[in-house]
Amino acid sequence: MAKQLWNKGFEPDQLIENFTVGQDRELDLRLARYDVQGSMAHIKMLQKIGLLSQEELARLLPALQEIADSIERGEFVIEDGVEDVHSQVEFLLTSKLGDIGKKIHSGRSRNDQVLVDLKLFFRDELRTISKAVDKLFHRLQLLSEEHRDKLMPGYTHLQVAMPSSFGLWFGAYAESLTDDMQLVVAAYNIANQNPLGSAAGYGSSFPLDREMTTELLGFANPHYNVVAAQMSRGKTERAVASAVAAVASTLGHMAMDVCMWMCNNFAFVSFPDELTTGSSIMPHKKNPDVFEIMRGKCNRLQSLPNELTILTANLPLGYNRDLQLMKDIMFPATTSLVECLDMADFMLQHIRVKDNILDDPRYDYIFTVEDVNRLVLQGVPFRDAYKQVGMAVQNKTYRPTRTVSHTHLGSIGNPANKEIAAKMEELMGRVKGEE
Ligand code: ARG
């Protein structure tokens, strides 16, 4: 039996159906709970504006709740021949309630239905990402405090440069995540607007109460202009993708550092054996595969904005089916990011940091600026002090004093972790919703 909502008595070619439905039957399962949520809000609104009776609403709501329960139990499926989640929910309702089920689509289109599902979905995904970011953030801050006084070489051009510390290194990634959270918050604000009522993209002749559905779905405001609401498909995804790419860039960078610090030539950090991987031929190997996979995944995630931009570049105004393909790109991406964040948090719980790294004479020159500054504090003009130390290096007579005293805001002695925590707390407050 033909199950397309738009069926007019002929069977579409199977090849065409498979090609156009693509991965929707599987991917749309992640939208199912939001689809039901959107439908509940929509029919409450239809009853209010007189398009459904109180009795009809009273029969529809429990039937939708039943579907919602089956989704939570993991029993909901999109059957063969049914195009997508929107069709499946309507199909279940009409099978159960007959004509009443057929009424729920008044004043909406799958175009605004999928939009509202996606906005609710991304809103939740962004909250999930934020929580994972926050967890890793706190882990990094904790490590920053714990290893506050452990010095390490700071590099520029990958040449030893100046003293740094593990307090700074861990703390740097924590603060960097606060910058990424700014983008998460921006994406959240873009997603947190109600497109329902834009229907196929041009509104409806029914007096839809869009304020009511906005409130019922907990959106900050309607996406007012119906055309703008439709245009937000693509725009929302690109905003989310930028946020995901930003977090991924920070995490990927950190993963690279860990791979390098684990390298035997550095050996600044290590992990318990069971968290490393071996080689099939070299018996001694303890490889950082976790951080390599993380780096690779994070690099892939950074291509998301580009992929979406190319997919949606120059599409004509209004709905186009190309938009469906964004789900294929975005759904696995948010999951992958959270997986990487959680893995980073897990691994860092077990990180071991080497002590007294700077005692090794290979890092002697790291103290040259300290020694120049010490002379300056004794009254020697900077350029003369620089020359004096420079000549000692040149003549191989330089002996480092090995004392480091950095006290200014954000430096080794004062990494400002409290101030950074306050920034994160404020940002986290902006993505809080009722759970
Ligand atoms: N699966 C479709 C999508 O994700 C749902 C909307 C279908 N709308 C349409 N006009 N064919 O875009």
Side-chain angles (χ1 to χ4, degrees), residues 24 84 86 110-111 114 233 319 321 324 327:
D24 262 15
D84 50 31
H86 329 292
R110 278 184 299 166
N111 296 355
V114 65
R233 187 147 185 213
Y319 178 83
R321 192 72 179 266
Q324 174 176 302
K327 292 188 286 197

Side-chain angles (χ1 to χ4, degrees), residues 6 20-21 24 28 31 83-86 109-112 114 118 233 319-325 327:
W6 43 267
T20 52
V21 169
D24 262 15
D28 272 14
L31 295 181
E83 280 194 316
D84 50 31
V85 65
H86 329 292
S109 147
R110 278 184 299 166
N111 296 355
D112 67 338
V114 65
L118 286 167
R233 187 147 185 213
Y319 178 83
N320 302 280
R321 192 72 179 266
D322 321 40
L323 299 172
Q324 174 176 302
L325 298 176
K327 292 188 286 197

Side-chain angles (χ1 to χ4, degrees), residues 8 38 45 171 294 333 395:
K8 298 173 204 67
M45 186 275 292
M294 194 182 294
N395 306 332

Side-chain angles (χ1 to χ4, degrees), residues 46-204:
L46 288 183
Q47 187 270 325
K48 185 181 165 216
I49 65 170
L51 285 179
L52 279 178
S53 69
Q54 186 60 53
E55 298 71 52
E56 287 169 330
L57 181 65
R59 295 197 54 201
L60 281 165
L61 282 176
L64 276 170
Q65 188 54 52
E66 245 176 62
I67 299 175
D69 294 342
S70 79
I71 294 165
E72 296 316 318
R73 286 196 303 269
E75 290 164 13
F76 177 86
V77 285
I78 300 172
E79 294 161 44
D80 283 347
V82 176
E83 280 194 316
D84 50 31
V85 65
H86 329 292
S87 312
Q88 180 69 35
V89 171
E90 192 170 323
F91 174 69
L92 290 174
L93 281 182
T94 39
S95 313
K96 191 175 163 97
L97 302 175
D99 282 351
I100 308 178
K102 292 185 194 159
K103 287 188 168 188
I104 70 162
H105 209 56
S106 312
R108 72 175 178 176
S109 147
R110 278 184 299 166
N111 296 355
D112 67 338
Q113 226 182 318
V114 65
L115 251 173
V116 82
D117 294 3
L118 286 167
K119 299 252 190 185
L120 293 168
F121 169 74
F122 284 128
R123 208 171 60 169
D124 270 2
E125 288 297 289
L126 289 165
R127 283 182 193 141
T128 307
I129 290 171
S130 304
K131 277 189 208 145
V133 166
D134 195 44
K135 196 158 158 242
L136 177 61
F137 172 86
H138 283 104
R139 169 82 46 214
L140 289 164
Q141 283 225 312
L142 216 69
L143 287 164
S144 171
E145 287 299 322
E146 185 184 335
H147 301 289
R148 190 177 159 134
D149 302 322
K150 284 193 190 156
L151 296 180
M152 72 189 295
Y155 295 84
T156 66
H157 311 266
L158 211 50
Q159 305 286 314
V160 291
M162 283 189 57
S164 183
S165 68
F166 276 94
L168 276 187
W169 183 71
F170 287 117
Y173 283 102
E175 184 166 19
S176 210
L177 286 173
T178 68
D179 291 340
D180 306 332
M181 266 305 291
Q182 302 269 12
L183 294 185
V184 173
V185 169
Y188 182 85
N189 289 337
I190 291 171
N192 196 16
Q193 306 183 85
N194 184 17
L196 199 57
S198 61
Y202 300 95
S204 161

